[in-house]
């Protein structure tokens, strides 16, 4: 194989941020028409490398060549003109603009010899692009009114409209359902046939193995390895990513479940839930699976008092309770790790220690004054317990990796010794190493007698972590599986409405 | 697609909710006072509204980028004073004097913009400082005294008529049409909305949000200066304390007209309608003999109602 077969060559790339060497002399090669997975833990430098490639960041040293000739990429426009485009992890669409406006932003078609935008052409062209991709979205619709999956496809359409022959996708599947992911993968495969190269960043190794031809692993800013997928297995990739043997991905102790701690009967919220009943035992992890829109998050939020329940009873330790607000739920000994930690779970611009102790201020205060030395001690205790990696507890939560941020959210609940902990997508967008730690922590809590209710779209996680699994569809619990009897197939079957033999 | 047809009536209500409010207010005044719905009174309302509408149009651009320009009242006074001073004291041709005043307005806008994009000073703070600075410069330049004795052609801009329509109204219509076309049909206009919607993707699309922001503050400086010159022309003189507090009406007009203070949402048409709601209210309440102290209270209540209705109709998606 001659070296010229590479479409993209990035060589000796280094980049330092204040306090961190984000990339150290990294080489990265992508062949034409290849789906190339770029993996690594959070902070490994994947996104930084891609931002350099797409001109959103400048590199300290190194060189980039495309199709055999050296290129300078200093701005996003440079990258666009070279046929490189990127689909960012945080969707880079503008919610108040229409689909068409977003696709052609910065290169709007104009009337001949004039400064005016040719709206008709803009909308016809975008509509055509969308139908090419089989996306059923109105080009004149405001992006803010679309689902995340639809927005994702708009991003893809935008990349195509740029005539890109190299598309970098940063975690494109993190908020997609399985079915939507399949649609995206089909699109990726058809691009591949057209000779378009794709760089695919994902934390979900099953996906990496399903779609990619080649895998490059980064760790702490250094290149660890780059090999064809057929020479690797998941275990090996994980090892390369974390630099050590991880042991079992889903360690599971022998946990004895005790009595029912939380009982929910016929819960309705008037919108997404139509009569949910469940029992949560002390000492178990109860997994809740289902497709997006099945009402899983609604269930978590209604139990916790975020959304009002229209009808239905909740019993805690056998006595009926009324929960009308999160405050009441907390006082009853419940905690919720929300789906969107940045929006719902954290004060991003405050220090780690404040984020940890905020819910425990009651017991840290006397006469309405906070006892700061006590608060510090408590924050430090839990930071150590959860192994939150940071130079200082005064660090702003904004600057932490996703995994460490999630640990902060969990630490906050642990300061209150909850009896019931609800976790909604506890490891979404979190690297493998931290994922294992969070799972271990959930097990530990269960062992200590906490009832753990986990909502997750990540099926391997549901299967690996839960003692019992409920499947929701259209606002109801439709099936229940024991750990032994659950498989991906029968859960998907139940979630999509196929007939299936459940345990009950 | 089917949805958009089903929701058509609601869409129309949503799009024109503020216009409907304006019409309702007009109807109420027409019933309450026989003097309201006369040609001369309506022209009077238009004249009274025109200057604030021009300033509010420039303000709309800054608010669309999620910014704000608090300095407009002071810039109005300063540019009016400079135009008048150059005309009266230096004997410059009134149009040359006005041209220089408009350039100074744009220069102040550019300084606002640079403070915001280069200095990283929040728009509220940067333009609040400029409010003080420009007012101070006005007092220095005028020595705290009015500058009277303007050239006839200068005064004509504020008091003259073209085909029965007051000149300031005419100018407002021209400014509004240009601004409408710019926001609706040019890449620059789209980029203003994009910048206010989300800066980072805008930058990644190869558009410089900094340049857009600089431009909107220059636009706001220009319209404020234009408003200031017209105000001086209407009053036959430049007053050192002209347009004190006008920034509030200039902000209220776009906000009543549906422009979001968070940026990215709003139209020029909405701003003009918003300015007219303010203008019609003052005029109608005067005609009906409502004491001016009560007028303030009523105005405030109507603003709240207008904005709540706008929010309510938009929430229903």
């Amino acid at each position: 194989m001659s070296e010229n077969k590479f479409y993209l060559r990035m060589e000796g790339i280094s980049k330092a941020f204040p306090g961190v060497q984000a990339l150290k002399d990294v080489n990265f090669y992508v062949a034409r028409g290849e789906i190339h997975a770029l993996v690594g833990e959070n902070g490994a430098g994947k996104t930084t490398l891609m931002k350099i490639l797409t001109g959103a960041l400048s590199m300290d040293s190194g060189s980039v060549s495309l199709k055999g000739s050296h290129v300078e990429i200093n701005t996003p426009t440079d990258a666009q003109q070279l046929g490189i485009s990127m689909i960012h992890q945080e969707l880079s669409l503008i919610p108040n603009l229409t689909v068409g406006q977003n696709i052609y932003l910065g290169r709007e078609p104009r009337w001949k010899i004039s400064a005016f935008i040719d709206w008709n052409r803009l909308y016809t062209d975008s509509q055509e692009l969308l139908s090419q991709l089989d996306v059923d979205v109105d080009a004149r619709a405001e992006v803010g009114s679309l689902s995340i999956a639809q927005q994702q496809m708009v991003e893809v359409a935008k990349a195509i409209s740029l005539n890109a022959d190299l598309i970098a996708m940063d975690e494109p599947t993190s908020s997609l359902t399985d079915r939507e992911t399949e649609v995206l993968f089909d699109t990726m495969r058809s691009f591949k046939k057209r000779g378009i190269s794709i760089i695919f960043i994902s934390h979900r190794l099953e996906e990496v193995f399903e779609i990619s031809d080649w895998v490059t692993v980064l760790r702490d800013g250094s290149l660890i390895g780059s090999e064809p997928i057929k020479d690797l297995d998941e275990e090996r990739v994980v090892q390369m990513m974390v630099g050590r043997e991880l042991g079992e991905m889903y360690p599971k102790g022998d946990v004895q479940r005790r009595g029912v701690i939380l009982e929910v009967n016929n819960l309705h919220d008037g919108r997404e839930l139509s009569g949910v009943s469940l029992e949560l035992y002390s000492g178990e992890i109860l997994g809740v699976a289902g497709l997006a829109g099945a009402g899983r998050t609604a269930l978590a939020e209604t139990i916790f008092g975020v959304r009002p329940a229209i009808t239905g009873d909740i019993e805690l330790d056998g006595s009926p309770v009324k929960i009308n607000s999160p405050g009441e739920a907390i006082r009853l000994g419940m905690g919720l790790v929300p789906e969107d930690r940045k929006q719902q779970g954290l004060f991003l611009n405050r220090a780690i220690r404040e984020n940890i102790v905020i819910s425990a201020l009651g017991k840290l205060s006397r006469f309405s004054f906070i006892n700061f030395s006590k608060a510090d001690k408590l924050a430090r205790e839990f930071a150590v317990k959860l192994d939150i990696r940071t130079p200082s507890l005064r660090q702003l939560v904004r600057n932490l990796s996703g995994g460490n941020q999630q640990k902060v959210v969990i630490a906050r609940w642990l300061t209150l010794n909850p009896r019931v902990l609800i976790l909604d997508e506890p490891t979404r967008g979190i690297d493998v190493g931290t994922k294992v730690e969070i799972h271990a922590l959930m097990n530990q809590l269960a062992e200590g007698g906490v009832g753990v209710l986990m909502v997750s779209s990540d099926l391997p996680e549901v299967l690996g972590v839960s003692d019992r699994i409920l499947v929701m569809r259209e606002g109801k619990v439709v099936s229940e599986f024991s750990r032994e009897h659950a498989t991906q197939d029968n859960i998907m079957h139940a979630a999509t409405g196929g007939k299936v033999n459940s345990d009950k | 697609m089917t949805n958009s047809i089903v929701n058509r009536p609601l869409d129309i209500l949503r799009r024109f909710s503020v216009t409907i409010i304006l019409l309702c207010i007009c109807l109420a005044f027409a019933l309450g006072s026989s003097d309201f719905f006369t040609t001369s009174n309506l022209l009077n309302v238009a004249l009274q509204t025109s200057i604030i509408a021009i300033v509010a149009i420039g303000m709309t651009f800054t608010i669309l980028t999620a910014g704000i320009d608090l300095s407009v009242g002071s810039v109005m006074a300063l540019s009016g004073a400079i135009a008048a001073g150059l005309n009266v004291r230096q004997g410059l041709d009134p149009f040359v004097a006005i041209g220089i005043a408009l350039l100074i307005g744009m220069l102040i806008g550019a300084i606002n913009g640079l403070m915001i994009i280069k200095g990283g000073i929040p728009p509220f703070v940067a333009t609040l400082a400029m409010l003080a600075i420009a007012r101070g410069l006005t007092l220095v330049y005028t020595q705290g005294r009015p500058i009277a004795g303007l050239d006839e052609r200068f005064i004509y801009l504020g008091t003259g008529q073209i085909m029965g329509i007051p000149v300031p109204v005419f100018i407002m219509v021209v400014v509004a049409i240009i601004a409408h076309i710019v926001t609706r049909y040019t890449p620059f206009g789209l980029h203003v909305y994009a910048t206010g919607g989300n800066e980072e993707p805008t930058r990644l699309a190869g558009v410089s949000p900094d340049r857009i922001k600089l431009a909107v503050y220059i636009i706001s400086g220009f319209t404020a200066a234009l408003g200031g010159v017209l105000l001086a022309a209407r009053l036959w003189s430049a007053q050192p304390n002209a347009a004190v507090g006008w920034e509030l009406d200039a902000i209220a007009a776009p906000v009543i007209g549906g422009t979001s203070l968070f940026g990215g949402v709003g139209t020029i048409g909405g701003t003009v309608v918003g300015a007219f709601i303010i203008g019609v209210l003052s005029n109608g309440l005067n005609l009906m003999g409502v004491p001016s102290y009560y007028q303030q209270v009523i105005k405030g209540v109507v603003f709240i109602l207008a904005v709540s209705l706008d929010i309510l109709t938009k929430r229903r998606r």
Side-chain angles (χ1 to χ4, degrees):
Chain A
M1 289 197 202
S2 91
E3 292 207 325
N4 283 334
K5 81 171 186 118
F6 292 117
Y7 180 77
L8 167 74
R9 302 163 62 89
M10 296 179 81
E11 291 180 320
I13 309 290
S14 294
K15 171 77 185 176
F17 292 116
V20 233
Q21 185 70 35
L23 289 173
K24 281 173 248 170
D25 197 23
V26 169
N27 295 335
F28 183 59
Y29 306 99
V30 178
R32 181 163 206 88
E34 163 181 88
I35 298 179
H36 193 127
L38 182 58
V39 298
E41 293 190 275
N42 285 333
K46 303 167 305 227
T47 302
T48 307
L49 186 66
M50 288 305 100
K51 283 193 168 164
I52 287 171
L53 174 63
T54 52
L57 277 178
S58 62
M59 56 192 168
D60 297 340
S61 62
S63 70
V64 179
S65 70
L66 264 183
K67 296 180 237 178
S69 45
H70 177 80
V71 289
E72 289 285 343
I73 302 171
N74 297 318
T75 66
T77 319
D78 291 349
Q80 277 181 14
Q81 279 161 359
L82 292 164
I84 302 171
S85 78
M86 174 147 182
I87 297 176
H88 293 264
Q89 184 176 6
E90 323 263 317
L91 285 178
S92 62
L93 295 173
I94 300 167
N96 54 306
L97 301 190
T98 64
V99 170
Q101 288 173 339
N102 266 287
I103 292 178
Y104 285 104
L105 185 66
R107 43 201 182 89
E108 302 82 5
R110 303 187 190 188
W111 290 104
K112 266 180 209 156
I113 346 171
S114 84
F116 299 128
I117 300 176
D118 184 346
W119 287 117
N120 268 328
R121 205 169 97 214
L122 185 147
Y123 283 119
T124 353
D125 288 0
S126 354
Q127 199 67 62
E128 195 166 314
L129 265 168
L130 293 166
S131 54
Q132 267 177 36
L133 290 171
D134 266 337
V135 183
D136 184 24
V137 168
D138 184 356
R140 290 173 191 266
E142 246 180 49
V143 160
S145 68
L146 304 181
S147 73
I148 300 285
Q150 286 173 320
Q151 295 189 21
Q152 193 80 257
M153 293 312 283
V154 172
E155 287 265 23
V156 175
K158 185 172 169 183
I160 311 268
S161 74
L162 289 161
N163 288 320
D165 29 32
L166 178 64
I167 302 178
M169 299 184 176
D170 193 354
E171 297 259 10
T173 58
S174 62
S175 39
L176 298 189
T177 62
D178 288 351
R179 198 177 300 168
E180 290 161 349
T181 301
E182 274 316 309
V183 173
L184 180 68
F185 282 1
D186 286 343
T187 312
M188 287 165 69
R189 289 187 192 102
S190 76
F191 287 174
K192 185 175 147 174
K193 281 199 198 106
R194 286 157 59 179
I196 297 174
S197 309
I198 295 171
I199 300 169
F200 176 62
I201 298 180
S202 176
H203 281 306
R204 298 189 182 166
L205 289 182
E206 318 88 73
E207 292 179 355
V208 168
F209 277 85
E210 179 184 346
I211 190 91
S212 329
D213 305 305
W214 204 277
V215 181
T216 292
V217 182
L218 296 181
R219 189 204 316 149
D220 299 332
S222 302
L223 175 71
I224 301 302
S226 188
E227 293 177 41
I229 195 93
K230 58 178 167 32
D231 298 349
L232 292 167
D233 58 28
E234 281 198 29
E235 207 179 319
R236 173 77 192 123
V237 172
V238 168
Q239 212 179 17
M240 289 162 80
M241 283 165 63
V242 297
R244 60 193 146 94
E245 295 277 354
L246 253 193
E248 224 184 321
M249 188 70 193
Y250 300 106
K252 190 74 197 168
D254 240 351
V255 181
Q256 285 308 309
R257 83 174 189 193
R258 296 155 224 180
V260 174
I261 188 163
L262 174 75
E263 190 175 338
V264 173
N265 277 313
N266 198 25
L267 198 63
H268 286 261
D269 70 344
R271 285 185 299 171
E272 290 180 57
L273 299 182
S274 39
V276 176
S277 302
L278 63 85
E279 289 174 338
L280 175 68
Y281 291 83
S282 165
E284 76 166 349
I285 299 177
L286 178 60
V288 180
L291 302 176
R296 293 168 305 168
T297 296
L299 172 66
E301 293 190 348
T302 309
I303 293 176
F304 195 64
V306 178
R307 315 182 183 200
I310 304 290
T311 58
D313 310 310
I314 298 178
E315 288 184 13
L316 206 61
D317 286 330
S319 42
V321 290
K322 276 266 164 269
I323 302 174
N324 293 315
S325 72
E328 290 175 30
I330 292 169
R331 279 190 287 279
L332 289 167
M334 299 170 65
L336 171 69
V337 176
E339 184 178 17
D340 184 344
R341 61 180 162 269
K342 286 188 182 167
Q343 295 282 339
Q344 304 171 301
L346 291 165
F347 306 94
L348 290 173
N349 286 323
R350 307 301 306 185
I352 295 170
R353 56 171 185 180
E354 293 168 22
N355 271 277
I356 292 178
V357 302
I358 183 114
S359 295
L361 288 180
K363 64 178 185 187
L364 295 173
S365 307
R366 276 189 90 177
F367 313 119
S368 294
F369 288 96
I370 300 170
N371 181 336
F372 279 101
S373 67
K374 255 179 156 179
D376 264 2
K377 225 177 102 191
L378 187 72
R380 204 169 309 122
E381 177 191 333
F382 281 94
V384 170
K385 203 167 182 177
L386 273 72
D387 193 19
I388 296 170
R389 272 160 248 167
T390 169
S392 154
L393 290 179
R394 290 164 194 252
Q395 176 75 258
L396 300 189
V397 165
R398 171 179 299 286
N399 299 331
L400 297 181
S401 71
N404 278 318
Q405 288 183 347
Q406 188 72 310
K407 285 183 183 173
V408 170
V409 179
I410 297 175
R412 182 192 304 152
W413 291 120
L414 299 192
T415 61
L416 297 177
N417 293 316
R419 288 181 296 162
V420 172
L421 186 62
I422 307 170
L423 301 107
D424 195 353
E425 304 289 357
T427 63
R428 172 180 286 173
I430 286 175
D431 62 76
V432 193
T434 315
K435 213 167 159 174
V436 173
E437 290 177 47
I438 288 177
H439 292 154
L441 191 73
M442 287 163 63
N443 278 320
Q444 225 178 36
L445 288 172
E447 277 164 36
V450 177
V452 178
L453 183 70
M454 177 189 72
V455 170
S456 174
S457 307
D458 184 346
L459 270 186
E461 170 174 87
V462 172
L463 289 166
V465 175
S466 317
D467 295 297
R468 217 153 43 91
I469 296 163
L470 301 180
V471 182
M472 285 186 72
R473 175 162 50 88
E474 291 166 9
K476 285 189 180 115
V477 172
V478 291
S479 298
E480 176 181 336
F481 298 100
S482 67
R483 178 174 179 79
E484 295 74 37
H485 292 94
T487 63
Q488 294 224 11
D489 284 346
N490 57 22
I491 288 178
M492 277 321 289
H493 227 77
T496 53
K499 285 270 170 282
V500 75
N501 303 320
S502 76
D503 282 8
K504 277 189 177 170
Chain B
M1 286 296 214
T2 40
N3 269 349
S4 60
I5 292 164
V6 175
N7 287 333
R8 190 67 38 96
L10 189 64
D11 271 345
I12 290 171
L13 181 67
R14 191 179 292 149
R15 263 188 82 184
F16 296 104
S17 62
V18 190
T19 313
I20 293 165
I21 292 172
L22 175 60
L23 294 177
C24 290
I25 294 172
C26 287
L27 191 69
F29 284 138
L31 295 175
S33 159
S34 56
D35 297 330
F36 179 78
F37 215 73
T38 58
T39 313
S40 68
N41 185 55
L42 290 182
L43 282 177
N44 187 29
V45 173
L47 176 62
Q48 284 170 354
T49 306
S50 58
I51 294 176
I52 200 68
I54 289 169
V55 180
I57 286 168
M59 179 72 75
T60 308
F61 280 87
T62 64
I63 298 181
L64 281 176
T65 64
I68 200 145
D69 186 352
L70 296 177
S71 67
V72 291
S74 301
V75 172
M76 288 174 76
L78 180 62
S79 57
I82 287 173
L86 290 176
N87 177 227
V88 175
R89 295 183 193 160
Q90 270 76 38
L92 276 186
D93 180 87
F95 291 104
V96 175
I98 288 169
I100 293 172
L102 295 181
L103 283 177
I104 286 177
M106 292 165 75
L107 177 70
I108 292 177
I111 295 170
N112 280 335
L114 290 173
M115 284 196 283
I116 291 161
I117 63 178
K118 297 289 178 202
I121 303 171
F124 190 97
V125 179
T127 59
L128 184 63
M130 189 55 83
L131 176 152
I133 294 168
R135 179 65 63 184
L137 290 175
T138 312
L139 292 170
V140 170
Y141 185 77
T142 58
Q143 297 293 304
R145 288 188 295 273
I147 301 174
L150 304 179
D151 188 288
E152 272 178 20
R153 287 175 293 162
F154 196 137
I155 292 168
Y156 174 80
L157 287 177
T159 56
Q161 295 192 337
I162 300 173
M163 293 176 298
I165 296 170
V167 176
V169 177
F170 204 78
I171 294 175
M172 174 201 72
V173 171
V174 173
V175 170
I177 290 174
I178 293 173
H180 174 76
I181 291 174
V182 166
T183 51
R184 185 72 188 74
Y185 296 103
T186 67
F188 170 74
L190 180 59
H191 299 166
V192 168
Y193 286 92
T195 302
N198 195 346
E199 269 184 45
E200 184 60 14
T202 306
R203 196 174 73 85
L204 292 173
V207 177
S208 161
D210 280 356
R211 256 193 246 167
I212 301 291
K213 287 196 216 165
L214 181 60
V216 296
Y217 287 96
I218 293 176
I219 291 172
S220 180
F222 173 82
T223 52
L226 181 59
V229 167
L230 293 178
L231 185 64
R234 237 188 90 196
L235 302 175
W236 296 53
S237 63
Q239 303 288 335
N241 281 320
V244 168
W246 280 40
E247 58 278 350
L248 296 181
D249 277 355
I251 294 165
V255 171
I256 291 171
T259 302
S260 161
L261 284 169
F262 298 107
V265 177
T267 61
I268 297 299
T271 296
V272 173
V273 173
F276 269 89
I277 287 181
I278 298 173
V280 167
L281 267 181
S282 313
N283 173 272
L285 292 172
N286 276 333
L287 284 184
M288 288 174 67
V290 177
S292 70
Y293 297 167
Y294 287 103
Q295 285 191 20
Q296 304 262 358
V297 178
I298 295 171
K299 268 190 184 176
V301 171
V302 171
F303 293 169
I304 293 170
L305 290 179
V307 173
S308 333
L309 186 78
D310 190 46
I311 291 170
L312 282 177
T313 50
K314 285 197 173 112
R315 198 178 285 162
R316 258 190 251 159
R317 306 197 182 217

